[in-house]
Amino acid sequence: MTKPHPLLAFLMLIYAVLAVAALWRTFTMQTFDLLTLGVLPVLYGLYTRQFWAGVVFKIYLAIQTVALLALTTAAVIAYKITPEDVKVVYQGQNIPISGLVVLAIVVMSFQFWVAFSNKTRLYLASGNNS
């Protein structure tokens, strides 16, 4: 298998866009965080089919999951204290919480599905034999 399967290729494209945005944010704001810059070694490993890429990919997903759970916990606690103040506003627009929850579940499920896919494992294993 010389090319990644379409779902992995799509995820790699999303990760590439995220990596560019992370680097842009790092250089313009002179600050960085490991959650967004962590995509760089994952993307490099997947693109070059390194033997460690599968492990790093799964660790990165675990970090994303822990961060999402922490954010969710903080939101639930805040909602219990002052429910009228728990809202997401971006550029003056109210974003419904239920939409964000559905989006987070879909994005995380897609990433886990690709990470634990047999095709992804075969793609990374074929890179070791070359």
PDB file of all heavy atoms in Angstrom, residues 1-15:
ATOM      1  N   MET A   1       0.861  -1.171   0.000  1.00  0.00           N
ATOM      2  CA  MET A   1       0.000   0.000   0.000  1.00  0.00           C
ATOM      3  C   MET A   1       0.912   1.239   0.000  1.00  0.00           C
ATOM      4  O   MET A   1       1.557   1.539   0.994  1.00  0.00           O
ATOM      5  CB  MET A   1      -0.909  -0.054   1.236  1.00  0.00           C
ATOM      6  CG  MET A   1      -1.853   1.108   1.353  1.00  0.00           C
ATOM      7  SD  MET A   1      -2.944   0.971   2.784  1.00  0.00           S
ATOM      8  CE  MET A   1      -4.391   0.323   2.001  1.00  0.00           C
ATOM      9  N   THR A   2       0.968   1.928  -1.125  1.00  0.00           N
ATOM     10  CA  THR A   2       1.868   3.069  -1.232  1.00  0.00           C
ATOM     11  C   THR A   2       1.201   4.393  -0.900  1.00  0.00           C
ATOM     12  O   THR A   2       1.867   5.331  -0.492  1.00  0.00           O
ATOM     13  CB  THR A   2       2.448   3.150  -2.653  1.00  0.00           C
ATOM     14  OG1 THR A   2       1.360   3.276  -3.580  1.00  0.00           O
ATOM     15  CG2 THR A   2       3.285   1.935  -2.973  1.00  0.00           C
ATOM     16  N   LYS A   3      -0.089   4.475  -1.090  1.00  0.00           N
ATOM     17  CA  LYS A   3      -0.818   5.699  -0.770  1.00  0.00           C
ATOM     18  C   LYS A   3      -1.716   5.455   0.432  1.00  0.00           C
ATOM     19  O   LYS A   3      -2.214   4.347   0.623  1.00  0.00           O
ATOM     20  CB  LYS A   3      -1.696   6.128  -1.950  1.00  0.00           C
ATOM     21  CG  LYS A   3      -0.942   6.601  -3.151  1.00  0.00           C
ATOM     22  CD  LYS A   3      -1.917   7.063  -4.208  1.00  0.00           C
ATOM     23  CE  LYS A   3      -1.188   7.560  -5.433  1.00  0.00           C
ATOM     24  NZ  LYS A   3      -2.121   7.989  -6.474  1.00  0.00           N
ATOM     25  N   PRO A   4      -1.951   6.503   1.225  1.00  0.00           N
ATOM     26  CA  PRO A   4      -2.899   6.326   2.336  1.00  0.00           C
ATOM     27  C   PRO A   4      -4.310   6.163   1.797  1.00  0.00           C
ATOM     28  O   PRO A   4      -4.641   6.679   0.720  1.00  0.00           O
ATOM     29  CB  PRO A   4      -2.748   7.623   3.133  1.00  0.00           C
ATOM     30  CG  PRO A   4      -2.214   8.618   2.171  1.00  0.00           C
ATOM     31  CD  PRO A   4      -1.389   7.846   1.188  1.00  0.00           C
ATOM     32  N   HIS A   5      -5.130   5.437   2.519  1.00  0.00           N
ATOM     33  CA  HIS A   5      -6.521   5.289   2.100  1.00  0.00           C
ATOM     34  C   HIS A   5      -7.203   6.656   2.192  1.00  0.00           C
ATOM     35  O   HIS A   5      -6.708   7.567   2.867  1.00  0.00           O
ATOM     36  CB  HIS A   5      -7.230   4.204   2.907  1.00  0.00           C
ATOM     37  CG  HIS A   5      -7.237   4.410   4.384  1.00  0.00           C
ATOM     38  ND1 HIS A   5      -8.261   5.036   5.032  1.00  0.00           N
ATOM     39  CD2 HIS A   5      -6.329   4.074   5.331  1.00  0.00           C
ATOM     40  CE1 HIS A   5      -8.001   5.083   6.323  1.00  0.00           C
ATOM     41  NE2 HIS A   5      -6.831   4.501   6.534  1.00  0.00           N
ATOM     42  N   PRO A   6      -8.319   6.853   1.506  1.00  0.00           N
ATOM     43  CA  PRO A   6      -8.919   8.191   1.397  1.00  0.00           C
ATOM     44  C   PRO A   6      -9.244   8.858   2.736  1.00  0.00           C
ATOM     45  O   PRO A   6      -9.046  10.070   2.874  1.00  0.00           O
ATOM     46  CB  PRO A   6     -10.201   7.951   0.589  1.00  0.00           C
ATOM     47  CG  PRO A   6      -9.930   6.719  -0.200  1.00  0.00           C
ATOM     48  CD  PRO A   6      -9.022   5.877   0.643  1.00  0.00           C
ATOM     49  N   LEU A   7      -9.714   8.108   3.706  1.00  0.00           N
ATOM     50  CA  LEU A   7     -10.036   8.717   4.997  1.00  0.00           C
ATOM     51  C   LEU A   7      -8.777   9.190   5.719  1.00  0.00           C
ATOM     52  O   LEU A   7      -8.766  10.270   6.324  1.00  0.00           O
ATOM     53  CB  LEU A   7     -10.821   7.740   5.875  1.00  0.00           C
ATOM     54  CG  LEU A   7     -12.215   7.375   5.366  1.00  0.00           C
ATOM     55  CD1 LEU A   7     -12.862   6.351   6.282  1.00  0.00           C
ATOM     56  CD2 LEU A   7     -13.076   8.607   5.243  1.00  0.00           C
ATOM     57  N   LEU A   8      -7.711   8.420   5.639  1.00  0.00           N
ATOM     58  CA  LEU A   8      -6.450   8.838   6.241  1.00  0.00           C
ATOM     59  C   LEU A   8      -5.880  10.040   5.492  1.00  0.00           C
ATOM     60  O   LEU A   8      -5.359  10.969   6.114  1.00  0.00           O
ATOM     61  CB  LEU A   8      -5.440   7.688   6.262  1.00  0.00           C
ATOM     62  CG  LEU A   8      -4.069   8.001   6.862  1.00  0.00           C
ATOM     63  CD1 LEU A   8      -4.204   8.456   8.316  1.00  0.00           C
ATOM     64  CD2 LEU A   8      -3.161   6.790   6.751  1.00  0.00           C
ATOM     65  N   ALA A   9      -5.995  10.037   4.179  1.00  0.00           N
ATOM     66  CA  ALA A   9      -5.518  11.177   3.395  1.00  0.00           C
ATOM     67  C   ALA A   9      -6.296  12.440   3.758  1.00  0.00           C
ATOM     68  O   ALA A   9      -5.712  13.526   3.891  1.00  0.00           O
ATOM     69  CB  ALA A   9      -5.649  10.880   1.906  1.00  0.00           C
ATOM     70  N   PHE A  10      -7.601  12.314   3.955  1.00  0.00           N
ATOM     71  CA  PHE A  10      -8.425  13.458   4.353  1.00  0.00           C
ATOM     72  C   PHE A  10      -8.003  13.961   5.736  1.00  0.00           C
ATOM     73  O   PHE A  10      -7.864  15.168   5.954  1.00  0.00           O
ATOM     74  CB  PHE A  10      -9.906  13.073   4.341  1.00  0.00           C
ATOM     75  CG  PHE A  10     -10.828  14.171   4.760  1.00  0.00           C
ATOM     76  CD1 PHE A  10     -10.986  15.300   3.982  1.00  0.00           C
ATOM     77  CD2 PHE A  10     -11.541  14.078   5.947  1.00  0.00           C
ATOM     78  CE1 PHE A  10     -11.834  16.326   4.367  1.00  0.00           C
ATOM     79  CE2 PHE A  10     -12.389  15.096   6.345  1.00  0.00           C
ATOM     80  CZ  PHE A  10     -12.536  16.219   5.549  1.00  0.00           C
ATOM     81  N   LEU A  11      -7.770  13.045   6.661  1.00  0.00           N
ATOM     82  CA  LEU A  11      -7.330  13.432   8.005  1.00  0.00           C
ATOM     83  C   LEU A  11      -5.949  14.086   7.959  1.00  0.00           C
ATOM     84  O   LEU A  11      -5.699  15.062   8.659  1.00  0.00           O
ATOM     85  CB  LEU A  11      -7.317  12.218   8.933  1.00  0.00           C
ATOM     86  CG  LEU A  11      -7.019  12.521  10.400  1.00  0.00           C
ATOM     87  CD1 LEU A  11      -8.119  13.392  10.994  1.00  0.00           C
ATOM     88  CD2 LEU A  11      -6.897  11.238  11.186  1.00  0.00           C
ATOM     89  N   MET A  12      -5.072  13.584   7.122  1.00  0.00           N
ATOM     90  CA  MET A  12      -3.757  14.196   6.970  1.00  0.00           C
ATOM     91  C   MET A  12      -3.874  15.613   6.397  1.00  0.00           C
ATOM     92  O   MET A  12      -3.124  16.508   6.794  1.00  0.00           O
ATOM     93  CB  MET A  12      -2.855  13.317   6.099  1.00  0.00           C
ATOM     94  CG  MET A  12      -2.415  12.039   6.794  1.00  0.00           C
ATOM     95  SD  MET A  12      -1.642  10.815   5.712  1.00  0.00           S
ATOM     96  CE  MET A  12      -0.174  11.670   5.205  1.00  0.00           C
ATOM     97  N   LEU A  13      -4.818  15.821   5.490  1.00  0.00           N
ATOM     98  CA  LEU A  13      -5.052  17.165   4.953  1.00  0.00           C
ATOM     99  C   LEU A  13      -5.536  18.106   6.048  1.00  0.00           C
ATOM    100  O   LEU A  13      -5.051  19.235   6.172  1.00  0.00           O
ATOM    101  CB  LEU A  13      -6.065  17.110   3.807  1.00  0.00           C
ATOM    102  CG  LEU A  13      -6.493  18.451   3.233  1.00  0.00           C
ATOM    103  CD1 LEU A  13      -5.337  19.108   2.498  1.00  0.00           C
ATOM    104  CD2 LEU A  13      -7.685  18.275   2.321  1.00  0.00           C
ATOM    105  N   ILE A  14      -6.468  17.625   6.878  1.00  0.00           N
ATOM    106  CA  ILE A  14      -6.955  18.438   7.997  1.00  0.00           C
ATOM    107  C   ILE A  14      -5.813  18.744   8.962  1.00  0.00           C
ATOM    108  O   ILE A  14      -5.667  19.879   9.429  1.00  0.00           O
ATOM    109  CB  ILE A  14      -8.113  17.717   8.724  1.00  0.00           C
ATOM    110  CG1 ILE A  14      -9.342  17.655   7.825  1.00  0.00           C
ATOM    111  CG2 ILE A  14      -8.449  18.413  10.043  1.00  0.00           C
ATOM    112  CD1 ILE A  14     -10.450  16.787   8.360  1.00  0.00           C
ATOM    113  N   TYR A  15      -4.987  17.752   9.248  1.00  0.00           N
ATOM    114  CA  TYR A  15      -3.847  17.960  10.138  1.00  0.00           C
ATOM    115  C   TYR A  15      -2.847  18.951   9.529  1.00  0.00           C
ATOM    116  O   TYR A  15      -2.230  19.735  10.248  1.00  0.00           O
ATOM    117  CB  TYR A  15      -3.155  16.637  10.447  1.00  0.00           C
ATOM    118  CG  TYR A  15      -3.810  15.823  11.553  1.00  0.00           C
ATOM    119  CD1 TYR A  15      -5.019  16.213  12.125  1.00  0.00           C
ATOM    120  CD2 TYR A  15      -3.222  14.673  12.017  1.00  0.00           C
ATOM    121  CE1 TYR A  15      -5.603  15.468  13.128  1.00  0.00           C
ATOM    122  CE2 TYR A  15      -3.796  13.916  13.036  1.00  0.00           C
ATOM    123  CZ  TYR A  15      -4.998  14.322  13.582  1.00  0.00           C
ATOM    124  OH  TYR A  15      -5.567  13.591  14.585  1.00  0.00           O
TER     125      TYR A  15
END
